[in-house]
Amino acid sequence: MNKESFRLISPGGTETELPVHSGTVGPDVVDIGSLYKSQGVFTYDPGFVATGSCVSDITYIDGEQGILMYRGYPVEQLAANSSFIEVSYLLLYGELPTADELQKFDHTIRTHTMLNEGMLNFFKGFRYDAHPMAMLSAVVGSMSAYYHDTLDSSDPVHRDIFSHRILAKLPTIAAAAFKLNSGQPFIYPRNDLTYSENLLQMLFAVPAEPYEIDPIAAEALDLLFILHADHEQNCSTSTVRMAGSSGANPYSAIAAGISALWGPAHGGANEAVLKMLEEIGDTSQIDKYVAKAKDKNDPFRLMGFGHRVYKNFDPRATIIRDMAHKVLEKLGRADTPMFDLALELEQFALQDDYFIEKKLYPNVDFYSGIIYRALGIPTSMFTVMFAIGRSVGWTAHWREMIADPNGRISRPRQLYTGSPARDYVAIEKR
Ligand code: SDX
């Protein structure tokens, strides 16, 4: 819906009218599509801090109010009332499912969890200590080699089959990577279990004895997947959209998103938070490390703090912190010192002028690792868990991008600061 426009007048007096578009809620956008043609200039916004890359109906974030909504439903309500499979349906199809729709969708996902048997051979080729994120991105990228019969992105049926395969198979691939690292045999998925129960048994069951699923662990995982499911145009989601915009097959686009998520500034932060807490050791060291985080000459940052959008609080961090407390209590885990240290660090930082001025609050990654650790999941698998939850968000955004009738390849421009034109110099004259 167009509102008034912005009128831009260049230093030379050339006037350009830039249309303004409004969404359902949130900031309007100024359409700069005609700027280069009319003014011969590009806009410049490194890191896309203030740049809208697309129109989307999927997720809305308000960084000042700490609001996160999936298809209009506040994440707090979904966390309290829904399941990851139901939230996945909502993100993919735009509406909460009826009981019948949910049953059919759940059955579809449960019956697509197995991998092509040939894919298991990949894991024989990795080093025993390969990082599970490296294995995840490699094996997901290989899915296009197995499922090339359904790669016609213009076919809604193919888009659905791809969506179901990614959601259903990521836990199986993740668990296979974990089993390689553990030196244990791969455990096949079971169709009689829920999404999170199935992941737990693929991670922790061994052929030598029956495995009993802890309902608290399954509940905690399901909630973490809901909270990680989507987050607007974050780095990895934008990567999936960009890769998909060239027409690359969707499995390769998701593999690109996995690689982007791995970075410690993004989804790799949950692994970095636990390493940071282990390095800090105990509350007596908090002062020293907060001072390091504030020192411009020190590259150290307080991992799990700060966010590009949330400048007040990350609603997910609040929910996860409360759940971490509940899980540790219910599991009767004695290793609460890590949790106590995290709580102390959070309180310290929230009262520090630097963090208040920079609006740095705990983000989704600050407490999630403490829960994964309490469930027996190793630090190296934390970002893999993030990827499992986020896979449905990536898929929903890929579907929205590929179905956009005005869609085109993403291709930003630049400010060139390199050498002016110069002639080649023969090597004997250099
Ligand atoms: C996720 O985009 C998403 O939605 C991401 C995510 C999702 O669901 O997809 O929410 C998941 O990635 C959460 C973020 C996890 N990353 C971390 O916890 C790593 C630590 N955080 C920082 O690297 C940083 O806060 C970012 C990357 C999260 C945000 O970076 P920005 O928006 O580019 O902010 P910035 O780096 O420009 O920082 C602004 C200022 C800087 O100081 P000045 O240059 O203004 O003097 O704040 C400082 C930074 O030095 N700062 C920090 C800090 N984070 C920012 N100082 C110390 N410790 C920190 N953690």
Side-chain angles (χ1 to χ4, degrees):
M1 178 180 73
N2 286 359
K3 290 176 78 173
E4 311 76 52
S5 55
F6 273 58
R7 199 173 300 285
L8 184 81
I9 300 171
S10 73
T14 311
E15 199 172 299
T16 304
E17 191 160 341
L18 300 175
V20 171
H21 306 306
S22 301
T24 314
V25 63
D28 290 344
V29 295
V30 178
D31 185 337
I32 56 156
S34 64
L35 188 63
Y36 178 61
K37 203 170 173 187
S38 64
Q39 296 276 358
V41 293
F42 297 139
T43 57
Y44 180 61
D45 182 19
F48 308 115
V49 176
T51 295
S53 60
C54 62
V55 173
S56 181
D57 300 344
I58 300 171
T59 291
Y60 176 71
I61 301 172
D62 180 321
E64 295 308 321
Q65 305 300 319
I67 291 171
L68 169 57
M69 302 192 300
Y70 296 157
R71 301 287 189 178
Y73 295 97
V75 75
E76 294 83 355
Q77 293 185 27
L78 294 170
N81 303 297
S82 189
S83 68
F84 179 60
I85 284 297
E86 182 177 75
V87 165
S88 295
Y89 184 99
L90 172 66
L91 286 169
L92 292 175
Y93 299 107
E95 297 296 336
L96 287 171
T98 61
D100 183 49
E101 287 166 337
L102 180 58
Q103 190 278 326
K104 286 193 174 83
F105 181 70
D106 184 48
H107 176 73
T108 299
I109 299 307
R110 284 177 189 238
T111 53
H112 282 78
T113 50
M114 284 176 68
L115 305 181
N116 179 300
E117 202 65 6
M119 290 176 80
L120 294 177
N121 294 325
F122 276 116
F123 294 94
K124 297 187 178 81
F126 292 120
R127 259 178 65 111
Y128 67 93
D129 59 354
H131 195 289
M133 279 299 280
M135 292 190 264
L136 189 71
S137 62
V139 177
V140 169
S142 79
M143 287 173 80
S144 55
Y146 285 90
Y147 301 118
H148 46 71
D149 57 334
T150 51
L151 291 181
D152 176 1
S153 303
S154 64
D155 181 339
V157 172
H158 286 199
R159 295 205 287 259
D160 263 357
I161 292 171
F162 150 71
S163 306
H164 300 157
R165 279 179 172 146
I166 283 290
L167 182 59
K169 297 181 194 301
L170 234 63
T172 312
I173 296 169
F178 176 62
K179 285 307 198 186
L180 177 88
N181 287 155
S182 319
Q184 292 179 353
F186 169 70
I187 298 292
Y188 283 92
R190 284 174 38 189
N191 296 351
D192 61 317
L193 298 176
T194 67
Y195 194 83
S196 297
E197 290 170 346
N198 209 358
L199 176 56
L200 285 168
Q201 74 94 18
M202 289 191 286
L203 288 171
F204 298 119
V206 289
E209 60 185 29
Y211 174 70
E212 192 181 332
I213 293 162
D214 183 327
I216 297 153
E219 180 195 341
L221 274 192
D222 205 68
L223 180 53
L224 285 167
F225 290 148
I226 290 173
L227 296 173
H228 286 81
D230 193 47
H231 215 238
E232 194 206 71
Q233 305 307 322
N234 60 86
C235 177
S236 54
T237 300
S238 298
T239 301
V240 170
R241 280 180 170 263
M242 180 170 268
S245 74
S246 73
N249 75 77
Y251 299 103
S252 302
I254 297 294
I258 292 170
S259 300
L261 184 75
W262 195 0
H266 190 13
N270 53 18
E271 180 176 353
V273 166
L274 257 291
K275 286 180 178 159
M276 175 188 74
L277 292 173
E278 283 158 359
E279 186 184 338
I280 294 174
D282 62 62
T283 52
S284 68
Q285 297 300 305
I286 288 179
D287 248 326
K288 173 185 154 196
Y289 279 89
V290 169
K292 280 171 62 70
K294 290 155 61 173
D295 178 357
K296 295 314 287 172
N297 301 315
D298 189 326
F300 176 81
R301 284 196 166 179
L302 220 47
M303 303 314 282
F305 277 81
H307 198 277
R308 172 60 60 77
V309 177
Y310 291 124
K311 300 304 177 187
N312 192 327
F313 65 96
D314 182 337
R316 301 167 298 177
T318 309
I319 298 169
I320 292 176
R321 177 182 59 211
D322 299 344
M323 183 179 60
H325 197 75
K326 178 180 155 191
V327 166
L328 288 170
E329 245 176 29
K330 286 196 172 181
L331 291 180
R333 291 303 301 262
D335 63 349
T336 53
M338 188 68 78
F339 183 62
D340 297 341
L341 174 59
L343 283 173
E344 189 82 17
L345 180 59
E346 177 188 12
Q347 290 315 308
F348 189 101
L350 292 181
Q351 290 153 29
D352 182 281
D353 292 344
Y354 174 89
F355 285 82
I356 293 168
E357 182 220 324
K358 303 273 182 205
K359 298 187 174 186
L360 303 176
Y361 295 84
N363 57 46
V364 67
D365 294 302
F366 186 61
Y367 283 104
S368 55
I370 288 165
I371 296 172
Y372 292 138
R373 182 186 162 104
L375 302 181
I377 295 167
T379 309
S380 62
M381 283 287 290
F382 288 4
T383 310
V384 171
M385 303 304 283
F386 193 144
I388 292 172
R390 186 54 54 86
S391 65
V392 70
W394 290 332
T395 303
H397 282 274
W398 177 83
R399 292 165 64 94
E400 185 174 70
M401 179 276 303
I402 210 77
D404 180 356
N406 304 313
R408 55 197 311 198
I409 189 169
S410 296
R411 203 266 184 235
R413 301 304 304 271
Q414 63 175 11
L415 176 68
Y416 176 69
T417 54
S419 167
R422 52 184 169 168
D423 294 328
Y424 182 81
V425 177
I427 193 161
E428 56 274 10
K429 294 184 178 166
R430 291 175 206 163

